[in-house]
């Protein structure tokens, strides 16, 4: 019985070692320079600091913004100029889509945003995955706006 317990303990220790060796470090917040470095290391070439807590990431001619909030949360933002959609169209988007929200901003432009909360910790992987999902949402939002554009 002692031998079985020792083997189980050894297996547990090995599993714990390999799990923690592969586990990515959690952080409560990223700085703008860390975000820029992360995205450039992921192959994004057009990543620039716009303001202290605002990063612009250009992909396929589209300019996305990643905003670092005071509490460490990250907010992804994309706006479409020169398109006219109604609040009913935006409500339809919000009623039928997940993981983002849309609204008409003060310039009457349709906007889409998404948030990644930092309270559970942030990793390089969950930040880049969040941005990948946001890009998918933006492409769908652009199609939606184009289909409903009243200009």
């Amino acid at each position: 019985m002692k031998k079985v317990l020792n083997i189980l303990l050894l297996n547990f220790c090995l599993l714990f070692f390999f799990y923690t060796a592969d586990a990515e470090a959690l952080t409560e917040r990223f700085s703008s320079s860390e975000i820029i470095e992360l995205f450039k290391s992921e192959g994004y070439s057009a990543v620039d600091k716009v303001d202290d807590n605002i990063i612009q990431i250009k992909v396929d001619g589209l300019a996305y913004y990643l905003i670092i909030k005071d509490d460490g949360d990250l907010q992804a933002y994309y706006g479409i100029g020169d398109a006219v959609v109604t609040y009913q169209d935006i409500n339809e988007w919000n009623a039928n889509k997940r993981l983002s929200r849309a609204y008409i901003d003060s310039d009457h432009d349709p906007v889409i945003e998404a948030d990644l909360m930092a309270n559970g910790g942030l990793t390089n992987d969950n930040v880049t995955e969040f941005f990948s999902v946001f890009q998918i949402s933006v492409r769908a939002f652009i199609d939606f706006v184009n289909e409903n554009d009243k200009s």
Side-chain angles (χ1 to χ4, degrees), residues 3 18 44-45 56-58 61 63 75-76 81 99 117 120 138:
K3 195 174 201 179
F18 288 115
Y44 295 91
S45 58
Q56 182 185 64
I57 305 164
K58 289 184 180 178
Q75 182 179 68
L99 308 176
M117 296 176 61
V138 165

Side-chain angles (χ1 to χ4, degrees), residues 14 26 60 63 69 90 95 137:
L14 287 172
L26 288 175
D60 297 330
K69 299 303 220 175
I90 296 298
S137 293

Side-chain angles (χ1 to χ4, degrees), residues 1-150:
M1 180 69 168
K2 189 174 181 182
K3 195 174 201 179
V4 170
L5 287 175
N6 284 337
I7 291 171
L8 287 174
L9 181 60
L10 177 63
N11 284 336
F12 174 77
C13 290
L14 287 172
L15 284 173
F16 181 77
F17 171 77
F18 288 115
Y19 174 77
T20 56
D22 287 340
E24 192 176 354
L26 288 175
T27 184
E28 293 180 9
R29 69 179 303 116
F30 281 97
S31 68
S32 56
S33 60
E34 290 171 325
I35 292 285
I36 291 169
E37 182 181 317
L38 169 61
F39 278 85
K40 285 187 175 182
S41 74
E42 290 291 319
Y44 295 91
S45 58
V47 183
D48 297 297
K49 184 176 176 180
V50 174
D51 201 0
D52 285 340
N53 292 320
I54 302 174
I55 309 300
Q56 182 185 64
I57 305 164
K58 289 184 180 178
V59 180
D60 297 330
L62 302 177
Y64 302 85
Y65 294 89
L66 200 56
I67 302 161
I68 305 166
K69 299 303 220 175
D70 291 340
D71 60 1
D73 290 355
L74 298 177
Q75 182 179 68
Y77 172 95
Y78 181 83
I80 301 173
D82 299 328
V84 176
V85 294
T86 66
Y87 75 87
Q88 291 96 338
D89 295 326
I90 296 298
N91 285 347
E92 179 186 333
W93 171 269
N94 288 329
N96 295 305
K97 303 296 181 189
R98 296 180 54 219
L99 308 176
S100 68
R101 69 186 164 282
Y103 60 93
I104 299 171
D105 70 7
S106 60
D107 295 326
H108 306 289
D109 296 326
V111 169
I112 184 172
E113 295 179 338
D115 297 298
L116 178 61
M117 296 176 61
N119 60 348
L122 299 171
T123 66
N124 291 351
D125 286 344
N126 69 7
V127 170
T128 55
E129 183 63 24
F130 163 71
F131 187 72
S132 293
V133 169
F134 185 68
Q135 288 180 80
I136 294 166
S137 293
V138 165
R139 288 190 292 274
F141 186 65
I142 290 169
D143 290 343
F144 177 83
V145 168
N146 287 336
E147 290 168 9
N148 292 284
D149 190 359
K150 297 177 180 43

